Amino acid sequence: MIAFTKRNLKIYFRDKSNVMFSLLAVFIIIGLYVLFLGDVWTKNLRDFAGARELMDNWVMAGVLAVTSFTTTMGMLGSMVKDRELRMNMDFYIAPISRTALTGGYIAGAYIVGLLMTLLAFVAAEIYIVVNGGALLAAEQIVKVLAMILLTTLMNTTFMVFIVSLFKSQSAFSVASTVFGTLIGFVTGIYLPIGMYPEAVQWMIKIFPVSHAAAIFRNLMMEKPMKTAFEGVPEEVAASLKTELGIRYEFGSHVVTQTESLLVIAGCIVLFFILGRLCASKKNVK
């Protein structure tokens, strides 16, 4: 399995355009924020102290949630290519089990997603500090790193399931474009969730990656929120947290971080099982 994982990693990093394309959604989010949206959102929060630092951490938290989503999908394109070219049939007659082959795809995707998200985290902290914000405390950094490990695993299993549904590279390329375009909307990153219609808000709140984004926001925005909300009525602060997607509400119920973690853990198990089932059906054809 290790050798097959290395093979998949070499294929991914050898294709520079594929690497860049898998990061396209991240570039779009950061570009829109730096060039346009950052100033707009900061002006809307000008009555709050440290509004710029607050929003810098808000958008970068969203970036961490989606980076492994798009990069693992780009990495798993090799699975579709192998299936379309019938290379998987050659693998099956080699002295390696099908479980090891599947594990090689999953391990390669996880490594890519983890590496890219860690690089995004370093870049995000540099951007925040250069822009006048504060570096995260050591305790928060450890928690963010733990969330990166968990979120990358969830996104990897999700992408394995999604990619297992495709038989051709052309269909996969279209899907990659669609996912890359929509991911910023369905996680409430391009715009705060409170600015969307109610139906879209529900879509965001039930999307698993959005729960990862909410946890990242709570971790990265903890100190800026203390500064911004000092002396602000609790109901006003709570309303703003809901509008920014720092917390989610279903009716009168406020989703806790523990519940969001359970959603992520449940999705890891669910998508892993679904991915294996789909892959097994493809393998027998």
Side-chain angles (χ1 to χ4, degrees), residues 79-272:
M79 180 189 292
V80 180
K81 183 177 180 180
D82 290 343
R83 187 181 300 132
E84 183 179 30
L85 298 178
R86 308 294 289 179
M87 293 179 65
N88 57 333
M89 306 308 290
D90 295 332
F91 297 146
Y92 295 155
I93 62 175
I96 180 173
S97 67
R98 296 190 179 190
T99 299
L101 290 174
T102 303
Y105 288 120
I106 295 175
Y110 184 76
I111 291 171
V112 167
L114 190 60
L115 177 61
M116 293 300 187
T117 308
L118 289 173
L119 290 175
F121 179 46
V122 173
E125 286 301 287
I126 292 174
Y127 173 81
I128 291 170
V129 172
V130 170
N131 214 25
L135 187 69
L136 284 178
E139 181 182 356
Q140 298 304 97
I141 290 176
V142 171
K143 291 180 180 179
V144 169
L145 292 177
M147 268 306 299
I148 288 175
L149 293 172
L150 190 62
T151 302
T152 302
L153 183 57
M154 177 187 69
N155 286 333
T156 300
T157 56
F158 182 55
M159 281 297 108
V160 168
F161 165 62
I162 294 296
V163 171
S164 67
L165 301 176
F166 294 96
K167 296 181 180 179
S168 68
Q169 285 185 278
S170 58
F172 174 75
S173 296
V174 172
S176 296
T177 302
V178 172
F179 274 111
T181 303
L182 294 180
I183 188 63
F185 290 105
V186 296
T187 51
I189 298 174
Y190 289 146
L191 295 172
I193 185 174
M195 299 182 68
Y196 290 106
E198 186 173 351
V200 179
Q201 290 186 30
W202 271 86
M203 184 185 303
I204 293 173
K205 287 186 287 188
I206 64 176
F207 190 56
V209 184
S210 299
H211 287 270
I215 295 176
F216 277 123
R217 287 168 187 150
N218 274 281
L219 293 175
M220 296 181 67
M221 297 174 68
E222 182 176 0
K223 185 176 179 180
M225 282 193 295
K226 288 181 180 179
T227 301
F229 298 154
E230 185 176 2
V232 175
E234 185 176 345
E235 60 272 15
V236 174
S239 176
L240 187 58
K241 288 180 181 179
T242 300
E243 183 167 345
L244 291 176
I246 300 171
R247 69 175 197 175
Y248 297 131
E249 295 181 357
F250 289 93
S252 59
H253 176 70
V254 178
V255 179
T256 65
Q257 289 192 48
T258 300
E259 290 170 337
S260 290
L261 286 171
L262 289 174
V263 168
I264 293 171
C267 287
I268 290 173
V269 175
L270 175 63
F271 291 131
F272 178 79

Side-chain angles (χ1 to χ4, degrees), residues 6-124:
K6 290 181 179 179
R7 174 257 186 189
N8 293 330
L9 290 172
K10 289 179 180 178
I11 290 176
Y12 175 77
F13 286 111
R14 188 183 300 150
D15 188 348
K16 306 301 181 185
S17 61
N18 186 34
V19 175
M20 295 299 292
F21 188 78
S22 65
L23 289 168
L24 181 60
V26 176
F27 293 147
I28 291 175
I29 293 170
I30 295 176
L32 287 174
Y33 178 76
V34 172
L35 297 176
F36 306 105
L37 300 178
D39 291 335
V40 174
W41 295 338
T42 302
K43 289 178 182 178
N44 290 337
L45 297 172
R46 59 182 177 272
D47 294 333
F48 295 90
R52 183 70 192 204
E53 182 180 4
L54 185 75
M55 295 312 300
D56 284 350
N57 280 276
W58 180 84
V59 75
M60 292 306 168
V63 167
L64 295 186
V66 303
T67 298
S68 60
F69 184 91
T70 57
T71 54
T72 53
M73 189 171 194
M75 169 64 185
L76 288 168
S78 61
M79 180 189 292
V80 180
K81 183 177 180 180
D82 290 343
R83 187 181 300 132
E84 183 179 30
L85 298 178
R86 308 294 289 179
M87 293 179 65
N88 57 333
M89 306 308 290
D90 295 332
F91 297 146
Y92 295 155
I93 62 175
I96 180 173
S97 67
R98 296 190 179 190
T99 299
L101 290 174
T102 303
Y105 288 120
I106 295 175
Y110 184 76
I111 291 171
V112 167
L114 190 60
L115 177 61
M116 293 300 187
T117 308
L118 289 173
L119 290 175
F121 179 46
V122 173

